[in-house]
Amino acid sequence: MSSILSRWFHASAIINTTLYFSGGISGQNLNQTTFLDEVLALDLSRSWTIDNPAFKSPPPRLTIPVSGHTMNVVPGTSQLVVAGGETVANLTSSPLLLFDTANINANSAHWSPIALSTNTTTNATAPTTNATAPTTTPPPFHQLYHASITTGKDGILLHGGYRSTVANGSTIPSLFTLNPRYHLAPLSTAAVSTALNSPSLARHTMTLMPDGRAIILGGIDSQGVLSNLSMAYIMDTQANSTAWKIVQLSGKPPDPRVAFSTVMVNTTTLLVYGGTNDFKQAFWVTFYLDLPSMTWSSPNAQGNIPKRWGHTATMAGSVMVVAFGLTSHQVSDNTPIVLLDTVANTWITQYDPKVMSSTAGSPNDPGSKGGGLSLGGVLGVAFLITAILVGAAFWLLIRRKKRRTRNTMARENLDQFTTSRAAVGRQQELSEQPPVSRFFGKVAEVMSLGVLTRASRESNDRPNSRRYSEFSQRSHSMPVADRIAELGYVPSTLGYPEAVVQQGMGMLPASSYIYPNQATTMLESTVLHNRAGQEGWRVKVETQVVFHDLTVAQKDALRIMQEQERHLQNQMYPKTELLQQDDDE
């Protein structure tokens, strides 16, 4: 470890099971610093402790010392791109360097500059296609202490930063794209580059969310004001026309800060760690942002909690690897690599390569080319599959027990509109009997002679039987048709032709002329007899019950009929309750 220099304002990117670090500043303190051109490689394929990280043989050095830059993976390749940054050399443009890690052991392996021209490239290993480059000449490329992500559509996106030097303090809202189709030349013509309301910030973070949106947090503007983390800037990187939108975040937010890190710990959660607000004191509390609800939370972390700013953070499976940086005393930490288990929210000392088994390179890191799901994502998929299987089994069980036909739905939802036409006919026959017969019939009903004994006898055998309707004789249908017309309904909407509605049917109920849209019928048998079961007056009645869905006009007609019934106080309405067993499969 003594050969590994401390550093800050460096950059990191992960390819498969190797985590790369490039550049940065090193020194005893901020007043005695040296720009670095060193590149390190940390092995994530084997176990190690934070006291003895498994650094590999160093890759080739950068062609120029640099800090405040970014390093990303070219999508779909093993190539690294170092972009922007601050140097000690007097350059007309910020550095743009390319290196293919597949050739890391070759004697000729080296970092190559990327040409600013969109038509040519100075590197033979740069991706080439037949795509026609935009004709617009890009502006001079100057970015340092900016933020970056990697997308599949436009390649590497570089946002904001300082315009020329840190001392100048002037921040820019520019967004450049390094697209492999255009030889990675910095362009500002893509939709993401022309997006409206781009914030002018430096020392901020930009993170790619799983749905293709980019989120910007924190940072500092040209006036030296720190951005409040109670809000975020979000843009859809996949849209053909897009803009940055300010989104308010709920919960207790982190303090405003710069030189901090953000990573995606799973598909729905973003983690903020470290940073500073005065370039002296370092933050150490871990903040989690739930993306579906845009809500902050800060559960207490366990373990030996470090303090860092000017560091890098990269997801290796479910473990966040924090590298280098400064502590609260403006000096580097004696432990350059620290680890946070994001599942347990615990700082650990032992790295286990098993955490990488679910991710070949972290999809949450801007420089990652790998895919795979995090542990949270795997658990989420497993839960979804289990829920689908359980739901399907439950649905089949219910369907086996009771098939929900249209007839069943009508009985359940429209029972008050269910009418038996045969029963209506029986009521009309009774109304035509002499008054004495009707009197004794009424007395028999009052004494509960009319009981559905068949249903009573079979109640134990038919536990699913239920009461579906209660119907009564209705009269004076002609006023109903008139009142329906006053409500604005065309008579034909009631089902029957207009002439039938207008003529009316006298003592028939409303459903006799309000014909159902899609009628279904059932034949029911009931036996009327005395309560004691003695021989005597017995009537076996078979009725045909009509179940149907009613239109709004039909429901209004029935409502009017029910209102009329309440005013017919001098008439007696015998009631018969029908029982109907549920449909069998």
Side-chain angles (χ1 to χ4, degrees), residues 45-198:
S45 65
R46 61 188 182 94
S47 300
W48 43 266
T49 65
I50 60 175
D51 294 328
N52 188 25
F55 284 102
K56 299 180 179 180
S57 299
R61 291 177 177 269
L62 302 175
T63 58
I64 185 173
V66 63
S67 70
H69 58 292
T70 56
M71 183 166 63
N72 298 78
V73 179
V74 179
T77 73
S78 57
Q79 297 173 326
L80 293 172
V81 172
V82 167
E86 184 179 19
T87 69
V88 293
N90 186 17
L91 301 178
T92 58
S93 180
S94 296
L96 278 175
L97 304 174
L98 180 69
F99 176 70
D100 192 345
T101 60
N103 302 324
I104 193 170
N105 296 321
N107 295 331
S108 59
H110 64 282
W111 289 82
S112 304
I114 299 174
L116 295 181
S117 171
T118 59
N119 298 320
T120 61
T121 178
T122 60
N123 181 19
T125 63
T128 58
T129 67
N130 295 325
T132 302
T135 57
T136 303
T137 302
F141 175 69
H142 270 290
Q143 280 186 302
L144 53 152
Y145 297 96
H146 53 285
S148 69
I149 58 174
T150 299
T151 68
K153 179 183 178 183
D154 294 302
I156 301 169
L157 309 187
L158 310 175
H159 177 269
Y162 293 111
R163 183 177 302 277
S164 55
T165 63
V166 176
N168 178 273
S170 178
T171 60
I172 58 176
S174 304
L175 190 150
F176 289 93
T177 61
L178 307 180
N179 197 322
R181 293 186 300 165
Y182 307 129
H183 311 293
L184 299 174
L187 300 176
S188 57
T189 56
V192 291
S193 299
T194 58
L196 300 177
N197 306 321
S198 179

Side-chain angles (χ1 to χ4, degrees), residues 313-328:
T314 310
M315 289 302 296
S318 59
V319 172
M320 179 175 69
V321 181
V322 176
F324 304 105
L326 295 169
T327 66
S328 299

Side-chain angles (χ1 to χ4, degrees), residues 62-64 76 171 221 271 289 300 314 331 367 439 496 500 506 571:
L62 302 175
T63 58
I64 185 173
T171 60
D221 63 14
L271 169 61
L289 179 61
N300 293 329
T314 310
V331 296
F439 172 77
Y496 270 134
V500 177
Q571 297 186 27

Side-chain angles (χ1 to χ4, degrees), residues 147 149 159 173 175 195-202 204-209 212-221 225-237 242-249 260 262 270 289 291 294 296:
I149 58 174
H159 177 269
L175 190 150
L196 300 177
N197 306 321
S198 179
S200 181
L201 296 168
H204 57 297
T205 67
M206 181 168 59
T207 310
L208 183 66
M209 295 186 285
R213 293 182 299 164
I215 179 172
I216 286 179
L217 293 169
I220 188 172
D221 63 14
V225 178
L226 300 182
S227 180
N228 198 325
L229 272 76
S230 62
M231 68 175 188
Y233 297 91
I234 294 180
M235 176 188 66
D236 185 0
T237 65
T242 186
W244 289 96
K245 298 179 180 179
I246 297 178
V247 176
Q248 298 299 322
L249 309 178
F260 62 104
T262 55
L270 180 146
L289 179 61
L291 298 179
M294 290 297 173
W296 288 110

Side-chain angles (χ1 to χ4, degrees), residues 422-570:
V424 171
R426 186 169 71 255
Q427 294 293 340
Q428 289 179 322
E429 293 176 0
L430 292 175
S431 66
E432 296 173 358
Q433 295 179 357
V436 175
S437 299
R438 293 201 303 270
F439 172 77
F440 284 107
K442 184 62 179 178
V443 171
E445 182 182 14
V446 172
M447 297 177 62
S448 301
L449 295 179
V451 181
L452 299 180
T453 57
R454 176 183 176 185
S456 301
R457 289 195 304 268
E458 298 180 358
S459 60
N460 294 332
D461 298 332
R462 296 167 56 185
N464 294 326
S465 295
R466 59 174 293 185
R467 182 174 302 170
Y468 291 120
S469 62
E470 184 177 80
F471 61 87
S472 60
Q473 182 183 9
R474 300 182 176 94
S475 61
H476 306 296
S477 61
M478 184 62 184
V480 176
D482 294 339
R483 292 181 63 183
I484 285 294
E486 292 177 358
L487 293 177
Y489 293 113
V490 179
S492 60
T493 61
L494 298 180
Y496 270 134
E498 182 176 355
V500 177
V501 178
Q502 290 293 336
Q503 291 175 5
M505 298 298 293
M507 293 290 293
L508 293 181
S511 61
S512 294
Y513 61 84
I514 300 178
Y515 191 80
N517 295 331
Q518 295 178 342
T520 57
T521 61
M522 262 184 200
L523 192 65
E524 294 183 346
S525 296
T526 58
V527 178
L528 304 178
H529 59 89
N530 59 14
R531 178 178 298 175
Q534 301 175 357
E535 295 294 335
W537 181 67
R538 286 174 173 271
V539 179
K540 183 176 181 180
V541 181
E542 290 188 350
T543 60
Q544 191 175 41
V545 181
V546 180
F547 301 96
H548 53 81
D549 295 328
L550 301 180
T551 65
V552 175
Q554 293 168 343
K555 290 181 180 179
D556 279 339
L558 290 181
R559 178 180 55 80
I560 293 171
M561 290 304 304
Q562 292 172 351
E563 292 175 355
Q564 289 182 344
E565 285 181 329
R566 286 193 289 267
H567 294 84
L568 300 179
Q569 301 295 334
N570 298 326

Side-chain angles (χ1 to χ4, degrees), residues 243-509:
W244 289 96
K245 298 179 180 179
I246 297 178
V247 176
Q248 298 299 322
L249 309 178
S250 59
K252 184 179 180 180
D255 292 334
R257 62 192 64 196
V258 295
F260 62 104
S261 62
T262 55
V263 293
M264 290 293 301
V265 299
N266 55 48
T267 57
T268 61
T269 308
L270 180 146
L271 169 61
V272 168
Y273 168 71
T276 181
N277 60 5
D278 58 3
F279 297 97
K280 296 178 181 179
Q281 301 296 320
F283 294 109
W284 67 90
V285 177
T286 52
F287 283 85
Y288 293 86
L289 179 61
D290 180 68
L291 298 179
S293 63
M294 290 297 173
T295 302
W296 288 110
S297 63
S298 56
N300 293 329
Q302 305 299 316
N304 187 13
I305 303 175
K307 301 178 181 180
R308 299 290 173 95
W309 64 277
H311 60 284
T312 58
T314 310
M315 289 302 296
S318 59
V319 172
M320 179 175 69
V321 181
V322 176
F324 304 105
L326 295 169
T327 66
S328 299
H329 303 290
Q330 297 187 359
V331 296
S332 59
D333 197 303
N334 293 328
T335 305
I337 305 294
V338 290
L339 306 170
L340 176 67
D341 182 348
T342 60
V343 176
N345 196 33
T346 300
W347 292 95
I348 58 178
T349 59
Q350 177 80 35
Y351 172 78
D352 187 348
K354 292 181 180 179
V355 300
M356 295 290 290
S357 60
S358 62
T359 53
S362 173
N364 305 318
D365 184 82
S368 170
K369 95 171 188 181
L373 291 176
S374 65
L375 179 60
V378 172
L379 293 178
V381 172
F383 175 79
L384 179 61
I385 294 176
T386 303
I388 292 175
L389 293 177
V390 172
F394 181 76
W395 180 80
L396 291 175
L397 180 63
I398 296 300
R399 184 177 177 83
R400 183 179 182 85
K401 181 179 179 181
K402 179 181 179 181
R403 179 176 298 169
R404 297 178 62 83
T405 61
R406 186 210 322 265
N407 188 52
T408 305
M409 292 296 295
R411 285 178 296 171
E412 290 180 355
N413 300 323
L414 300 171
D415 53 330
Q416 59 177 323
F417 302 130
T418 302
T419 306
S420 171
R421 298 191 182 192
V424 171
R426 186 169 71 255
Q427 294 293 340
Q428 289 179 322
E429 293 176 0
L430 292 175
S431 66
E432 296 173 358
Q433 295 179 357
V436 175
S437 299
R438 293 201 303 270
F439 172 77
F440 284 107
K442 184 62 179 178
V443 171
E445 182 182 14
V446 172
M447 297 177 62
S448 301
L449 295 179
V451 181
L452 299 180
T453 57
R454 176 183 176 185
S456 301
R457 289 195 304 268
E458 298 180 358
S459 60
N460 294 332
D461 298 332
R462 296 167 56 185
N464 294 326
S465 295
R466 59 174 293 185
R467 182 174 302 170
Y468 291 120
S469 62
E470 184 177 80
F471 61 87
S472 60
Q473 182 183 9
R474 300 182 176 94
S475 61
H476 306 296
S477 61
M478 184 62 184
V480 176
D482 294 339
R483 292 181 63 183
I484 285 294
E486 292 177 358
L487 293 177
Y489 293 113
V490 179
S492 60
T493 61
L494 298 180
Y496 270 134
E498 182 176 355
V500 177
V501 178
Q502 290 293 336
Q503 291 175 5
M505 298 298 293
M507 293 290 293
L508 293 181

